[in-house]
Amino acid sequence: MYIHKRVANLYRDSVSLMQLSAALGRLPGVEQASAVMATPANLELLRGARLLDGAPSASPNDLLIAVRGKSTAALEAAIAAAMEELQRPPAQAGAGGLAAQPPRSLQMGLAQVPGANLALISVPGEYAAAEAMKALRLGLNVMLFSDNVPLADEAALKRYARGRGLLMMGPDCGTAIIDGIPLGFANAVRRGAIGVVGASGTGTQQVTSLVHRRGAGISQAIGTGGHDLHQDIGGITMLRGLELLARDPQTRVIVLISKPPSPRVAKAVLDAARRAGKPVVVNFVGAREPASGANLHTAGTLEEAALAAVALTAGRRPARPPRPGRKIPKTKFRKNQRFIRGLYSGGTFCYEASSLLGEAWSNAPVDPARRIKEVWKSSGDTLLDLGDDVFTRGRPHPMIDHRLRNQRLLAEAADPEVAVILFDVVLGYGSHPDPAAEMMPALLEARRNRSLVLVGSVCGTDEDPQGLARQESALRKAGVVLAESNARAVRLAAAIAGRRA
Amino acid sequence: MSALFAKPLSVLNVGIASFADAIERRGGAAVRIEWAPPANGDARAGAALARLVNDARVEAANAQAAERYLAAQPRLEGIGVAREALPGMGTRMILHAGPPVAWERMCGPMQGAIVGAILYEGWARDAEAARAMAKGGEIAFEPCHHHGAVGPMAGIISPSMPVWRVLNPVHGNRSFSNLNEGLGKVLRFGANGPEVIARLNWMRDTLAPALQAALGKLGPLEIKPLMAQALHMGDEVHNRNAAASSLLIKRLMPALLKSGAPAADAAAAVEFIAGNDHFFLNISMAACKAMLDAAHGVASSSMVTAMARNGVEFGIRVSGTGERWFTAPAPLVNGLYFPNQSIKDAAPDLGDSAITETAGVGGFAMAAAPAIVKLVGGSPRDALANTLAMTHITLVRNGGFTLPALDFAGAPACIDARRVVDTGILPVINTGIAHKEAGVGQIGAGVTRAPLACFAKALVELKTSCR
């Protein structure tokens, strides 16, 4: 018996067709096979070879596959094999020995790596929303590092993502750790059972680093971006993150980090947290009111949040927050020398300090009444977020470029009323490769010929490229009094300057 | 459900490169996208693109348009006279290449060719009178594309000129092109002297009837298989047509001899065709036009259905945006120039022949024509690279046009305006270069690129029409 199949308007050269014919002839149950362009001469050949009879309705532009054998099944299988070969996708066709072109769009990248599942986007803000929308439309989860994206665009992106079950981290999302992989500004931490959803990049860095330093680990750390809990956004990403972590079997305890949200958004987030089915530690930095609920645990500081989460994964109840146990260095200050100046690279650290010190002036105050009037001139206790736009215009972020902070540090040190200079050092991927070395000359100069206390905390881990121990030891040598966390550093600074925090 | 957590993290990194380094240092997978602001930073086009990427309607429309392009079977039916054959052709109308352009703005070669066409039609006694007539608004100038036609270089078609008639019986659409005059002093480069007019007269009076008689004897000639075969013989059927012209003459000659055409005419016709390696070009162009017109007019489709230049502007049309042209200034062509000629002497990019690239041949099939890359200044590897680059901005590979040097993969075809804007990879065009003054002729050949702005404008319009 014999059957044939016509493929309309498909041209193949005769050599390719002879190869195809030979391959079909080798298939089991096939006695003879031929694939030809259906010219009158070729059709005559097929009839002569007992592969065809009569005159099929085929034109010379059609390709004809004819097979002879014993069973219909074998012949149909052969035709199917031929069709598959003819329709072999172009991706498998050769590139003539040329290397693949580097992808120039997300879509091109996805074509090269069809398994890609997240786009990490850090293009200038004016292009960021469009790039993120493309990524979502292509079915990718997104971490949008870029800032300066209008709130309306953020809402549109997050609603689109929500409708398609995708995670939209950011805009203005600095930090995430997915499957143990650091994204953006993030620390190298071991994997574990604590999941984090953070609206603050440095907040997430502090909590994940401290968890690592206490021997525990992170399942996932999801960033939402700084505006997610704004009432126009409604916490879409925090709610989605909570949902993902609640479902994630690796995650046993969840930590939520944010500045205090608007009451309506706070209610939605806390309601969802109560339904998470696992303990949730809530740190709304600077919030006065504790969250209530059987599985909810309020933490006053980022450090408390980390310690509570570590305790909960070990099956313990979180302990009362520790008071600064360390000895307060005795320093002889002159009569008018009494103020604290905080110079922060991490915005949330500055905010946390403002929350703990209360009365300090700041460009990121918890109490709007304490907003500093003139950011270039400190007075009284002053806490500055040097990552604020006003300082970063035209220069890199202070986690990468320490020059501005070094200058400001020397200016503060020259102020006779200053007793304590307080600062953070943020390690991890994205940050400066050796911040201690970068700060060293300014730190040494600041304390030359005067009694002044430098208090700092290093946010990072032993696995970070900069090395926690190496950085801490260098800073100690420069005379910096170090605390394990920002909250401890703030309290220590307050104690040294003789006030409460 | 998000594929995050369940599958290994695999990142596409757009922007700060060190983020990808960090991912890899911690054992993750990251691909670095070579990003630049889409549409050269045109925010409106960028936003339109973001809304059109992977849009279900656009995807479905493109699949349909590409399917129609692939299914089209252009067939050479014969020769006609422009005034009778071309839809909407007026008695005092002259067609030109590219998007619409007024007489005053036309480049030198186009004005020269129009003067020649007026003399050929006998509407004016001399060049001066012809010029005055053209300037005086007595003659309608319209793009070939508005009448189902295409013409290389100046692309001039006047009412009594013979035209190739192509039919795509699958979708029932027709297309047309003028007959190729050869090289040297020819109308399409703006020459209009007595020898040019004499040749045009001979083509009308002798060549066209002989060809019509031959095709009458032969019956309709399928063009795609001929193009496909030529691609296997070193042509890309735009700037190299040596093989295709030979194949054509091989098909026509027996029919011509049997047609009863006077022996002297048949001999002259054969000699003329044999002396012109570009004779097939106009047939290739008409065939491409037929395939692309079949794909035109699918609502929401972002597939480009025409690219054409008038020597001043480069214009494109898109399947889903109707008859509108999206234009940008025509670029000067960087190429190899004949002795004593340079880019300073060149007219900006000119001609409807970029219809071949639009249809997946020409520059898009450069891998098929290693001999051409020397002319356009490059190595055979560059030819392969150019074809491969086009796969990133096209919707399909045309299995009807296979490329031996790329393991017989199909030629990349059906330009997606979205992908052009998103990647910044611009359609590559093999082209001849005309002298900027009328009548000097071809002064070189090269490779040029379609301007990005055309595609950006098209996306803004498509986004509006997709609402």
mmCIF file of all heavy atoms in Angstrom, chain A residues 426-460:
data_model
loop_
_atom_site.group_PDB
_atom_site.id
_atom_site.type_symbol
_atom_site.label_atom_id
_atom_site.label_comp_id
_atom_site.label_asym_id
_atom_site.label_seq_id
_atom_site.Cartn_x
_atom_site.Cartn_y
_atom_site.Cartn_z
ATOM 1 N N VAL A 426 27.102 50.229 55.014
ATOM 2 C CA VAL A 426 26.312 49.150 54.417
ATOM 3 C C VAL A 426 27.193 48.344 53.466
ATOM 4 O O VAL A 426 27.740 48.882 52.504
ATOM 5 C CB VAL A 426 25.073 49.696 53.676
ATOM 6 C CG1 VAL A 426 24.266 48.552 53.069
ATOM 7 C CG2 VAL A 426 24.222 50.508 54.641
ATOM 8 N N LEU A 427 27.324 47.059 53.760
ATOM 9 C CA LEU A 427 28.086 46.144 52.915
ATOM 10 C C LEU A 427 27.133 45.398 51.988
ATOM 11 O O LEU A 427 25.939 45.611 52.005
ATOM 12 C CB LEU A 427 28.858 45.131 53.765
ATOM 13 C CG LEU A 427 29.738 45.674 54.893
ATOM 14 C CD1 LEU A 427 30.495 44.523 55.571
ATOM 15 C CD2 LEU A 427 30.718 46.719 54.374
ATOM 16 N N GLY A 428 27.691 44.510 51.226
ATOM 17 C CA GLY A 428 26.871 43.658 50.365
ATOM 18 C C GLY A 428 27.088 43.994 48.905
ATOM 19 O O GLY A 428 27.864 44.883 48.554
ATOM 20 N N TYR A 429 26.382 43.242 48.055
ATOM 21 C CA TYR A 429 26.479 43.475 46.624
ATOM 22 C C TYR A 429 25.866 44.833 46.309
ATOM 23 O O TYR A 429 24.888 45.232 46.911
ATOM 24 C CB TYR A 429 25.784 42.352 45.867
ATOM 25 C CG TYR A 429 26.543 41.053 46.028
ATOM 26 C CD1 TYR A 429 26.177 40.127 46.993
ATOM 27 C CD2 TYR A 429 27.680 40.812 45.267
ATOM 28 C CE1 TYR A 429 26.907 38.958 47.171
ATOM 29 C CE2 TYR A 429 28.411 39.653 45.436
ATOM 30 C CZ TYR A 429 28.026 38.724 46.393
ATOM 31 O OH TYR A 429 28.758 37.591 46.568
ATOM 32 N N GLY A 430 26.468 45.532 45.396
ATOM 33 C CA GLY A 430 25.989 46.860 45.010
ATOM 34 C C GLY A 430 26.739 47.957 45.722
ATOM 35 O O GLY A 430 26.960 49.029 45.175
ATOM 36 N N SER A 431 27.174 47.718 46.989
ATOM 37 C CA SER A 431 27.854 48.763 47.764
ATOM 38 C C SER A 431 29.320 48.876 47.374
ATOM 39 O O SER A 431 29.857 48.043 46.651
ATOM 40 C CB SER A 431 27.754 48.451 49.265
ATOM 41 O OG SER A 431 26.430 48.598 49.705
ATOM 42 N N HIS A 432 29.972 49.914 47.907
ATOM 43 C CA HIS A 432 31.392 50.144 47.642
ATOM 44 C C HIS A 432 32.221 48.914 48.053
ATOM 45 O O HIS A 432 31.949 48.312 49.093
ATOM 46 C CB HIS A 432 31.852 51.382 48.419
ATOM 47 C CG HIS A 432 33.217 51.854 48.035
ATOM 48 N ND1 HIS A 432 34.368 51.262 48.535
ATOM 49 C CD2 HIS A 432 33.617 52.831 47.199
ATOM 50 C CE1 HIS A 432 35.416 51.869 48.016
ATOM 51 N NE2 HIS A 432 34.992 52.828 47.196
ATOM 52 N N PRO A 433 33.238 48.557 47.278
ATOM 53 C CA PRO A 433 34.007 47.337 47.587
ATOM 54 C C PRO A 433 34.817 47.422 48.885
ATOM 55 O O PRO A 433 35.150 46.383 49.454
ATOM 56 C CB PRO A 433 34.941 47.173 46.378
ATOM 57 C CG PRO A 433 34.890 48.472 45.633
ATOM 58 C CD PRO A 433 33.598 49.118 45.976
ATOM 59 N N ASP A 434 35.127 48.606 49.398
ATOM 60 C CA ASP A 434 35.880 48.706 50.655
ATOM 61 C C ASP A 434 35.563 50.014 51.362
ATOM 62 O O ASP A 434 36.370 50.943 51.401
ATOM 63 C CB ASP A 434 37.388 48.601 50.369
ATOM 64 C CG ASP A 434 38.187 48.394 51.651
ATOM 65 O OD1 ASP A 434 37.600 48.478 52.763
ATOM 66 O OD2 ASP A 434 39.408 48.159 51.542
ATOM 67 N N PRO A 435 34.370 50.110 51.959
ATOM 68 C CA PRO A 435 33.966 51.392 52.559
ATOM 69 C C PRO A 435 34.890 51.840 53.689
ATOM 70 O O PRO A 435 35.143 53.039 53.826
ATOM 71 C CB PRO A 435 32.549 51.127 53.068
ATOM 72 C CG PRO A 435 32.295 49.684 52.918
ATOM 73 C CD PRO A 435 33.312 49.101 52.002
ATOM 74 N N ALA A 436 35.397 50.926 54.506
ATOM 75 C CA ALA A 436 36.240 51.327 55.647
ATOM 76 C C ALA A 436 37.469 52.065 55.137
ATOM 77 O O ALA A 436 37.841 53.124 55.665
ATOM 78 C CB ALA A 436 36.639 50.103 56.463
ATOM 79 N N ALA A 437 38.090 51.528 54.109
ATOM 80 C CA ALA A 437 39.279 52.181 53.554
ATOM 81 C C ALA A 437 38.923 53.551 52.992
ATOM 82 O O ALA A 437 39.684 54.511 53.114
ATOM 83 C CB ALA A 437 39.880 51.305 52.456
ATOM 84 N N GLU A 438 37.752 53.629 52.410
ATOM 85 C CA GLU A 438 37.316 54.865 51.791
ATOM 86 C C GLU A 438 37.070 55.956 52.847
ATOM 87 O O GLU A 438 37.305 57.130 52.607
ATOM 88 C CB GLU A 438 36.021 54.563 51.023
ATOM 89 C CG GLU A 438 35.661 55.509 49.939
ATOM 90 C CD GLU A 438 36.653 55.558 48.783
ATOM 91 O OE1 GLU A 438 37.512 54.656 48.682
ATOM 92 O OE2 GLU A 438 36.557 56.522 48.008
ATOM 93 N N MET A 439 36.595 55.518 54.028
ATOM 94 C CA MET A 439 36.262 56.495 55.074
ATOM 95 C C MET A 439 37.448 56.817 55.969
ATOM 96 O O MET A 439 37.432 57.821 56.698
ATOM 97 C CB MET A 439 35.127 55.931 55.941
ATOM 98 C CG MET A 439 33.835 55.728 55.196
ATOM 99 S SD MET A 439 32.542 55.086 56.281
ATOM 100 C CE MET A 439 32.192 56.516 57.295
ATOM 101 N N MET A 440 38.461 55.934 55.944
ATOM 102 C CA MET A 440 39.540 55.992 56.929
ATOM 103 C C MET A 440 40.164 57.385 57.109
ATOM 104 O O MET A 440 40.229 57.880 58.244
ATOM 105 C CB MET A 440 40.618 54.957 56.544
ATOM 106 C CG MET A 440 41.624 54.670 57.631
ATOM 107 S SD MET A 440 40.844 54.067 59.149
ATOM 108 C CE MET A 440 40.031 52.596 58.557
ATOM 109 N N PRO A 441 40.617 58.051 56.038
ATOM 110 C CA PRO A 441 41.277 59.347 56.254
ATOM 111 C C PRO A 441 40.367 60.353 56.972
ATOM 112 O O PRO A 441 40.832 61.049 57.880
ATOM 113 C CB PRO A 441 41.591 59.823 54.819
ATOM 114 C CG PRO A 441 41.575 58.586 53.984
ATOM 115 C CD PRO A 441 40.580 57.669 54.622
ATOM 116 N N ALA A 442 39.111 60.386 56.604
ATOM 117 C CA ALA A 442 38.186 61.340 57.224
ATOM 118 C C ALA A 442 37.953 60.979 58.690
ATOM 119 O O ALA A 442 37.894 61.859 59.558
ATOM 120 C CB ALA A 442 36.866 61.365 56.459
ATOM 121 N N LEU A 443 37.833 59.667 58.985
ATOM 122 C CA LEU A 443 37.596 59.238 60.376
ATOM 123 C C LEU A 443 38.783 59.624 61.255
ATOM 124 O O LEU A 443 38.610 60.111 62.379
ATOM 125 C CB LEU A 443 37.377 57.718 60.429
ATOM 126 C CG LEU A 443 36.104 57.204 59.745
ATOM 127 C CD1 LEU A 443 36.079 55.672 59.709
ATOM 128 C CD2 LEU A 443 34.854 57.731 60.447
ATOM 129 N N LEU A 444 39.987 59.414 60.745
ATOM 130 C CA LEU A 444 41.179 59.736 61.521
ATOM 131 C C LEU A 444 41.296 61.251 61.720
ATOM 132 O O LEU A 444 41.578 61.731 62.816
ATOM 133 C CB LEU A 444 42.431 59.191 60.817
ATOM 134 C CG LEU A 444 42.529 57.660 60.763
ATOM 135 C CD1 LEU A 444 43.709 57.212 59.907
ATOM 136 C CD2 LEU A 444 42.636 57.074 62.184
ATOM 137 N N GLU A 445 41.038 61.984 60.664
ATOM 138 C CA GLU A 445 41.130 63.436 60.720
ATOM 139 C C GLU A 445 40.118 64.017 61.707
ATOM 140 O O GLU A 445 40.408 64.942 62.458
ATOM 141 C CB GLU A 445 40.903 63.997 59.294
ATOM 142 C CG GLU A 445 40.850 65.503 59.175
ATOM 143 C CD GLU A 445 42.192 66.178 59.460
ATOM 144 O OE1 GLU A 445 43.229 65.486 59.318
ATOM 145 O OE2 GLU A 445 42.190 67.367 59.837
ATOM 146 N N ALA A 446 38.907 63.419 61.718
ATOM 147 C CA ALA A 446 37.823 63.936 62.559
ATOM 148 C C ALA A 446 38.207 63.931 64.036
ATOM 149 O O ALA A 446 37.826 64.838 64.788
ATOM 150 C CB ALA A 446 36.558 63.120 62.340
ATOM 151 N N ARG A 447 38.962 62.929 64.453
ATOM 152 C CA ARG A 447 39.257 62.799 65.884
ATOM 153 C C ARG A 447 40.612 63.381 66.261
ATOM 154 O O ARG A 447 41.024 63.298 67.422
ATOM 155 C CB ARG A 447 39.177 61.329 66.300
ATOM 156 C CG ARG A 447 37.738 60.813 66.263
ATOM 157 C CD ARG A 447 37.629 59.375 66.700
ATOM 158 N NE ARG A 447 37.890 59.209 68.128
ATOM 159 C CZ ARG A 447 38.933 58.535 68.601
ATOM 160 N NH1 ARG A 447 39.817 57.999 67.788
ATOM 161 N NH2 ARG A 447 39.083 58.415 69.895
ATOM 162 N N ARG A 448 41.301 63.941 65.257
ATOM 163 C CA ARG A 448 42.619 64.488 65.570
ATOM 164 C C ARG A 448 42.469 65.716 66.465
ATOM 165 O O ARG A 448 41.677 66.602 66.189
ATOM 166 C CB ARG A 448 43.337 64.887 64.267
ATOM 167 C CG ARG A 448 44.836 64.955 64.429
ATOM 168 C CD ARG A 448 45.491 64.595 63.140
ATOM 169 N NE ARG A 448 45.060 65.546 62.117
ATOM 170 C CZ ARG A 448 45.906 66.215 61.357
ATOM 171 N NH1 ARG A 448 47.189 66.044 61.506
ATOM 172 N NH2 ARG A 448 45.450 67.031 60.445
ATOM 173 N N ASN A 449 43.198 65.738 67.562
ATOM 174 C CA ASN A 449 43.259 66.892 68.453
ATOM 175 C C ASN A 449 41.920 67.239 69.090
ATOM 176 O O ASN A 449 41.702 68.383 69.484
ATOM 177 C CB ASN A 449 43.779 68.140 67.731
ATOM 178 C CG ASN A 449 45.104 67.876 67.065
ATOM 179 O OD1 ASN A 449 45.930 67.104 67.605
ATOM 180 N ND2 ASN A 449 45.305 68.480 65.908
ATOM 181 N N ARG A 450 40.980 66.305 69.135
ATOM 182 C CA ARG A 450 39.773 66.672 69.878
ATOM 183 C C ARG A 450 39.064 65.438 70.402
ATOM 184 O O ARG A 450 39.198 64.333 69.868
ATOM 185 C CB ARG A 450 38.847 67.544 69.054
ATOM 186 C CG ARG A 450 38.219 66.948 67.834
ATOM 187 C CD ARG A 450 37.116 67.849 67.340
ATOM 188 N NE ARG A 450 36.062 67.963 68.350
ATOM 189 C CZ ARG A 450 34.823 68.356 68.077
ATOM 190 N NH1 ARG A 450 34.491 68.705 66.880
ATOM 191 N NH2 ARG A 450 33.923 68.420 69.044
ATOM 192 N N SER A 451 38.329 65.641 71.460
ATOM 193 C CA SER A 451 37.555 64.539 72.022
ATOM 194 C C SER A 451 36.212 64.503 71.321
ATOM 195 O O SER A 451 35.441 65.435 71.388
ATOM 196 C CB SER A 451 37.359 64.735 73.529
ATOM 197 O OG SER A 451 36.614 65.908 73.747
ATOM 198 N N LEU A 452 36.005 63.442 70.617
ATOM 199 C CA LEU A 452 34.794 63.290 69.809
ATOM 200 C C LEU A 452 34.580 61.799 69.688
ATOM 201 O O LEU A 452 35.551 61.054 69.525
ATOM 202 C CB LEU A 452 35.047 63.902 68.424
ATOM 203 C CG LEU A 452 33.947 63.808 67.400
ATOM 204 C CD1 LEU A 452 32.862 64.835 67.724
ATOM 205 C CD2 LEU A 452 34.492 64.082 66.006
ATOM 206 N N VAL A 453 33.327 61.349 69.816
ATOM 207 C CA VAL A 453 33.084 59.912 69.726
ATOM 208 C C VAL A 453 32.430 59.596 68.374
ATOM 209 O O VAL A 453 31.457 60.240 67.985
ATOM 210 C CB VAL A 453 32.188 59.411 70.872
ATOM 211 C CG1 VAL A 453 32.045 57.892 70.805
ATOM 212 C CG2 VAL A 453 32.771 59.821 72.215
ATOM 213 N N LEU A 454 33.013 58.618 67.677
ATOM 214 C CA LEU A 454 32.431 58.121 66.431
ATOM 215 C C LEU A 454 31.721 56.815 66.741
ATOM 216 O O LEU A 454 32.334 55.881 67.245
ATOM 217 C CB LEU A 454 33.518 57.889 65.389
ATOM 218 C CG LEU A 454 34.370 59.101 65.013
ATOM 219 C CD1 LEU A 454 35.527 58.678 64.100
ATOM 220 C CD2 LEU A 454 33.524 60.159 64.328
ATOM 221 N N VAL A 455 30.425 56.774 66.477
ATOM 222 C CA VAL A 455 29.643 55.563 66.737
ATOM 223 C C VAL A 455 29.079 55.054 65.408
ATOM 224 O O VAL A 455 28.477 55.826 64.656
ATOM 225 C CB VAL A 455 28.487 55.834 67.718
ATOM 226 C CG1 VAL A 455 27.647 54.578 67.916
ATOM 227 C CG2 VAL A 455 29.026 56.340 69.045
ATOM 228 N N GLY A 456 29.284 53.779 65.134
ATOM 229 C CA GLY A 456 28.780 53.250 63.865
ATOM 230 C C GLY A 456 28.237 51.848 63.999
ATOM 231 O O GLY A 456 28.439 51.160 65.002
ATOM 232 N N SER A 457 27.538 51.440 62.961
ATOM 233 C CA SER A 457 27.152 50.028 62.852
ATOM 234 C C SER A 457 27.378 49.600 61.405
ATOM 235 O O SER A 457 27.201 50.395 60.485
ATOM 236 C CB SER A 457 25.681 49.831 63.232
ATOM 237 O OG SER A 457 24.838 50.406 62.261
ATOM 238 N N VAL A 458 27.819 48.355 61.268
ATOM 239 C CA VAL A 458 28.071 47.836 59.932
ATOM 240 C C VAL A 458 26.967 46.836 59.606
ATOM 241 O O VAL A 458 26.763 45.867 60.337
ATOM 242 C CB VAL A 458 29.449 47.154 59.840
ATOM 243 C CG1 VAL A 458 29.702 46.678 58.411
ATOM 244 C CG2 VAL A 458 30.545 48.111 60.294
ATOM 245 N N CYS A 459 26.266 47.102 58.513
ATOM 246 C CA CYS A 459 25.196 46.202 58.075
ATOM 247 C C CYS A 459 25.787 45.268 57.020
ATOM 248 O O CYS A 459 26.124 45.708 55.928
ATOM 249 C CB CYS A 459 24.050 47.026 57.493
ATOM 250 S SG CYS A 459 22.747 46.026 56.756
ATOM 251 N N GLY A 460 25.950 44.003 57.395
ATOM 252 C CA GLY A 460 26.545 43.083 56.426
ATOM 253 C C GLY A 460 26.839 41.738 57.065
ATOM 254 O O GLY A 460 26.492 41.507 58.225
#
